[in-house]
Amino acid sequence: MSSDGAEAQGDCGSRREWPLLLWTSLAVVVPVAFVLWCSARRSKRKSSMEEFFRKSKHGWHYTDLFNKPTYCCVCAQHILHGAFCECCGVCVDEQCLRGADRSMPCKEIMAPCGPGGSAEHRWVRGNVPLASYCAVCKQQCGTQPKLCDHRCVWCQTTVHDDCMDSLSTADVCDLGEFRSLIIPPHYLYQVSKLRRRHPDEFSKLGATCGGGWNPILVLANTRSGNNMGEALLGEFRTVLNPVQVFDLSVLPPTKALQLCNLLPPGRVQVLVCGGDGTVGWVLDAIDAMKLKAQDQFIPRVTILPLGTGNDLSNTLGWGAGYAGEIPVEQVLRNILDAEVVQMDRWKVQVASKGVYFRKPKVLSMNNYFSVGPDALMALNFHAHREKTPSFFSSRIINKLELDGERVELPSLEGIIVCNIGYWGGGCRLWEGMGDEPCPPTRLDDGLLEVVGVFGSFHCAQIQVKMANPVRLGQAHTVRLVLKSSTMPMQVDGEPWAQGPCTITITHKTQALMLYHSSEQTDDEEDETSASEAESLTPQDSPRPPWSPANPT
């Protein structure tokens, strides 16, 4: 009897456990299934949205959260989930998106002039920029918590709803503050009607855009600088004509620069948003234009530095890195104030030892070439160095010639050949500590500065101004013979491992760059008031001691 009772109690306990197990399973399975269902639906909706965006004439971007109170331009309700057009600024919620795409036109990149050759405003209602003021009453716009006030997508003029009727009928859109940088829609329309596309015809059309018209093309590398390129593309498309703004991950520089051939010769500027590698990529594309006999269309190049390093940008006065600390409008103002300078570009030819049937490796250099410790860091050879401590145990440079004359070398671990004033992310390598006189450097003198370093620790000392490099000289051509071992080397931050070889560096061409003389570089911000009181000589001036008005 006792055994039968125990079995009955066990069956009863099992029956009580089943509901508990069932509810526990449901408590786990149902939320997981719901999350998976939501994820699949979100993915399907995202794919549908992306397909819709690709076919739209607007530059739509979907967002789950706007960074400020935003109202739908269709239903005037506050938006939680929706999309905005980065070109014209229209904002809509998800339910109104397709209707807005049909009823609200975007910026027209190409359109005829209005009556009398003037352009009319293209108004978008609501969501005006913060701290904007009415063109009629001069009071602040967008202060009410609702869809209100208007903004012109071209000249960025803002007007109160109540002031629209007071706006003069003679008031036309002049493209605003950056009219000298914007390609007007009517210019491209007139170009499309030309029977003969000749530079003289482009110059005549350009004269209708004003005497100081110097249109700018924006080429952004969206992979540079913590993905800031994507946001910059949208901001520039808002201010400029969207046709002027290019994503280099979609269209290479050689294709983007073809627009230069439809603009007046000698007028075009190019803003490169990216690191030194992106700048070199664009400059190589400009060199390709020269090979196609398109010299008259060569643009002037300026830089918005993204990422880290950016020694070329620092040398030209644009700073060591951009992190959104100033709006794109201020970036464009700085470009308007910039000066044109010439910069030498160099050809680096690497001929491997014992390989007679293979063409030498040919690279373009804007900043510097190096072999040794700093290239080792760029290539991340640290583990290799630990495995082979003899990697730098002896002198790796077998011979160095400057302008054909052999230079006697101490026991160095590396050689650095510089074209610009900055190296290693903001260090003025040639000047070192600044306590010794040294020949001045220029971007356009056709000379390279050659220095030696004793090792990684020596490089670190130079960067913090605790040591000077071994100045080996300046030269128009540099030739290095490297002995038999595999070693790291780099050109403008692009590293590789190289076996025994002969390296020859010769002048290639010159590029037209824009120099911003009023921008302080990182090193200058640390200057003391005492040093400011002293008169700077060309040798110790923190800025490049060359002048665009006095070229070599």
Side-chain angles (χ1 to χ4, degrees):
M1 290 292 294
S2 61
S3 61
D4 291 341
E7 289 178 3
Q9 289 179 358
D11 292 340
C12 183
S14 299
R15 283 194 296 270
R16 284 197 298 267
E17 289 176 359
W18 275 109
L20 179 62
L21 290 173
L22 178 62
W23 283 110
T24 302
S25 300
L26 289 174
V28 173
V29 172
V30 170
V32 170
F34 181 74
V35 169
L36 292 175
W37 177 77
C38 290
S39 177
R41 185 169 181 176
R42 189 183 299 112
S43 178
K44 184 178 180 180
R45 185 181 65 177
K46 183 179 179 181
S47 300
S48 176
M49 284 282 188
E50 290 176 351
E51 181 66 22
F52 173 74
F53 289 167
R54 276 196 295 268
K55 295 178 180 179
S56 175
K57 292 183 178 180
H58 282 272
W60 293 117
H61 282 266
Y62 185 82
T63 181
D64 287 325
L65 181 66
F66 285 88
N67 59 4
K68 65 176 183 178
T70 306
Y71 300 89
C72 177
C73 293
V74 177
C75 66
Q77 298 300 310
H78 186 269
I79 302 176
L80 293 179
H81 308 289
F84 64 94
C85 176
E86 63 181 7
C87 299
C88 65
V90 168
C91 302
V92 292
D93 59 27
E94 194 170 343
Q95 290 72 26
C96 300
L97 177 58
R98 297 185 183 275
D101 190 70
R102 291 190 299 267
S103 62
M104 294 185 171
C106 191
K107 268 185 176 180
E108 292 184 325
I109 63 175
M110 185 172 65
C113 290
S118 61
E120 297 180 352
H121 288 290
R122 164 74 174 85
W123 299 108
V124 169
R125 185 165 184 253
N127 305 305
V128 299
L130 298 175
S132 57
Y133 291 85
C134 178
V136 177
C137 67
K138 311 304 178 185
Q139 298 299 311
Q140 189 170 353
C141 290
T143 56
Q144 302 181 58
K146 64 178 183 178
L147 188 75
C148 63
D149 305 336
H150 292 74
R151 175 184 63 89
C152 175
V153 300
W154 286 106
C155 65
Q156 311 304 321
T157 296
T158 53
V159 180
H160 286 125
D161 289 335
D162 297 337
C163 296
M164 283 295 290
D165 293 337
S166 303
L167 196 66
S168 172
T169 56
D171 187 77
V172 296
C173 180
D174 61 357
L175 300 181
E177 179 183 359
F178 304 111
R179 65 182 69 88
S180 63
L181 300 177
I182 296 174
I183 300 178
H186 68 79
Y187 175 87
L188 294 176
Y189 179 81
Q190 291 170 333
V191 167
S192 69
K193 298 298 182 182
L194 287 176
R195 293 184 178 180
R196 186 176 70 107
R197 293 190 175 183
H198 189 272
D200 293 340
E201 299 295 330
F202 301 145
S203 297
K204 291 178 184 177
L205 291 179
T208 65
C209 300
W213 187 53
N214 295 299
I216 190 168
L217 306 184
V218 179
L219 278 60
N221 186 350
T222 54
R223 298 190 180 103
S224 296
N226 197 23
N227 297 321
M228 280 201 64
E230 188 73 33
L232 283 171
L233 285 172
E235 293 181 45
F236 280 116
R237 284 174 180 145
T238 300
V239 178
L240 305 173
N241 190 330
V243 78
Q244 300 173 241
V245 185
F246 300 91
D247 183 351
L248 293 181
S249 66
V250 177
L251 199 70
T254 50
K255 297 290 186 181
L257 292 174
Q258 289 179 2
L259 184 55
C260 296
N261 299 332
L262 300 178
L263 297 169
R267 293 271 192 100
V268 185
Q269 305 172 103
V270 170
L271 172 62
V272 182
C273 305
D276 288 342
T278 305
V279 177
W281 189 18
V282 173
L283 292 178
D284 284 341
I286 292 174
D287 286 346
M289 294 176 64
K290 298 177 183 178
L291 296 176
K292 298 176 182 177
Q294 298 172 353
D295 300 62
Q296 57 187 327
F297 296 107
I298 295 299
R300 295 160 289 187
V301 179
T302 185
I303 307 170
L304 184 62
L306 304 180
T308 57
N310 301 303
D311 291 303
L312 178 56
S313 173
N314 218 0
T315 299
L316 291 169
W318 299 103
Y322 176 79
E325 61 274 8
I326 60 173
V328 296
E329 290 84 359
Q330 186 58 48
V331 173
L332 295 175
R333 292 185 193 106
N334 292 342
I335 293 173
L336 289 172
D337 296 334
E339 304 169 347
V340 181
V341 297
Q342 290 187 325
M343 182 187 75
D344 293 321
R345 301 194 72 220
W346 302 83
K347 180 175 73 174
V348 179
Q349 184 170 293
V350 182
S352 299
K353 182 179 178 181
V355 181
Y356 302 104
F357 301 104
R358 185 184 301 171
K359 290 184 179 180
K361 184 176 185 177
V362 179
L363 303 165
S364 296
M365 185 188 88
N366 304 310
N367 300 359
Y368 36 69
F369 163 85
S370 68
V371 53
D374 71 319
L376 180 70
M377 290 182 281
L379 192 56
N380 198 15
F381 257 59
H382 303 293
H384 182 66
R385 185 171 189 173
E386 291 176 1
K387 294 177 183 177
T388 55
S390 61
F391 195 72
F392 288 116
S393 61
S394 61
R395 191 168 60 189
I396 63 173
I397 311 298
N398 197 33
K399 184 191 295 185
L400 172 64
E401 294 179 0
L402 302 183
D403 290 337
E405 295 186 6
R406 184 165 181 172
V407 178
E408 294 298 326
L409 299 174
S411 183
L412 299 172
E413 284 195 4
I415 295 287
I416 303 171
V417 182
C418 290
N419 179 48
I420 62 175
Y422 283 85
W423 160 87
C427 170
R428 289 194 285 268
L429 179 64
W430 182 249
E431 295 178 15
M433 296 171 61
D435 59 343
E436 298 176 358
C438 59
T441 63
R442 294 169 58 104
L443 279 177
D444 60 351
D445 58 3
L447 287 174
L448 293 165
E449 286 70 50
V450 185
V451 303
V453 292
F454 293 114
S456 300
F457 184 66
H458 187 204
C459 289
Q461 287 180 309
I462 295 171
Q463 286 187 313
V464 296
K465 295 187 177 182
M466 293 181 62
N468 288 317
V470 180
R471 299 188 187 94
L472 301 173
Q474 294 174 295
H476 298 88
T477 62
V478 177
R479 183 171 179 266
L480 299 94
V481 179
L482 306 180
K483 63 192 308 183
S484 56
S485 64
T486 300
M487 63 208 73
M489 58 182 61
Q490 66 157 330
V491 172
D492 292 349
E494 298 296 328
W496 74 96
Q498 177 65 46
C501 64
T502 298
I503 300 156
T504 306
I505 306 177
T506 55
H507 193 267
K508 179 183 179 182
T509 185
Q510 284 191 324
L512 293 175
M513 309 296 290
L514 291 181
Y515 173 63
H516 188 213
S517 58
S518 63
E519 180 75 14
Q520 279 195 326
T521 56
D522 294 345
D523 286 354
E524 291 171 55
E525 296 174 358
D526 298 330
E527 296 290 336
T528 61
S529 58
S531 64
E532 291 176 355
E534 299 176 358
S535 60
L536 297 174
T537 63
Q539 289 90 333
D540 58 20
S541 173
R543 301 199 179 281
W546 32 257
S547 169
N550 185 26
T552 300

